[in-house]
Amino acid sequence: MAKKIVGYIRCSTTDQADNGHSIDTQRDQIQSYARLYDLEVIAIYSDEGFTGKNLERPELHKALDMISSGKAHGLLISKLDRLSRNVKDLAMLLDTVFSSSELHSVNEKLDTSTPHGRLA
């Protein structure tokens, strides 16, 4: 049985969209990764026009709520900087949300469900 996960995509500028970080590109990467690793994407949340410098993004909060409520096993992103550009925020998420759930990143080939992915 496939694990249920939510996808999260973010694009803050038109320039990013033009340089390979478009919403459609990220969505395609998430769906391809999920098929490859037998993950069921139950929703994809998208914050368009929001910076990655902080976590104040409405759709990110919805995605994290799905995980916290137990409706999803984890989060799938195309690239770590789509989740956060702030190392402290990323560390906080890893220590809180992703200590008991999974984080998958397509480009970094990160899967925290494994010891290697948890850096254990």
Side-chain angles (χ1 to χ4, degrees):
M1 187 164 131
K3 290 181 185 176
K4 293 181 180 185
I5 59 157
V6 291
Y8 177 72
I9 53 184
R10 179 185 67 78
C11 188
S12 59
T13 66
T14 304
D15 184 53
Q16 283 184 338
D18 293 341
N19 289 305
H21 296 295
S22 74
I23 295 299
D24 290 338
T25 298
Q26 291 177 63
R27 186 181 313 278
D28 290 346
Q29 289 175 334
I30 284 171
Q31 291 171 335
S32 294
Y33 182 99
R35 281 191 300 275
L36 183 64
Y37 292 99
D38 194 30
L39 300 170
E40 180 186 351
V41 179
I42 59 173
I44 296 179
Y45 294 92
S46 174
D47 279 316
E48 298 179 44
F50 284 85
T51 181
K53 293 181 182 177
N54 62 56
L55 299 176
E56 299 305 314
R57 290 173 260 146
E59 296 299 301
L60 175 60
H61 288 281
K62 289 178 185 177
L64 296 177
D65 287 345
M66 290 285 287
I67 296 165
S68 297
S69 70
K71 294 177 183 170
H73 291 102
L75 185 74
L76 174 55
I77 54 178
S78 66
K79 193 174 175 188
L80 277 175
D81 70 358
R82 303 295 88 202
L83 178 59
S84 180
R85 289 188 173 272
N86 182 308
V87 175
K88 286 183 182 180
D89 286 343
L90 181 58
M92 183 275 301
L93 288 171
L94 289 170
D95 285 343
T96 56
V97 176
F98 301 114
S99 65
S100 59
S101 63
E102 298 176 10
L103 174 62
H104 298 264
S105 177
V106 175
N107 286 349
E108 288 83 9
K109 297 178 181 65
L110 176 68
D111 174 359
T112 63
S113 70
T114 68
H116 182 265
R118 287 187 307 273
L119 303 175

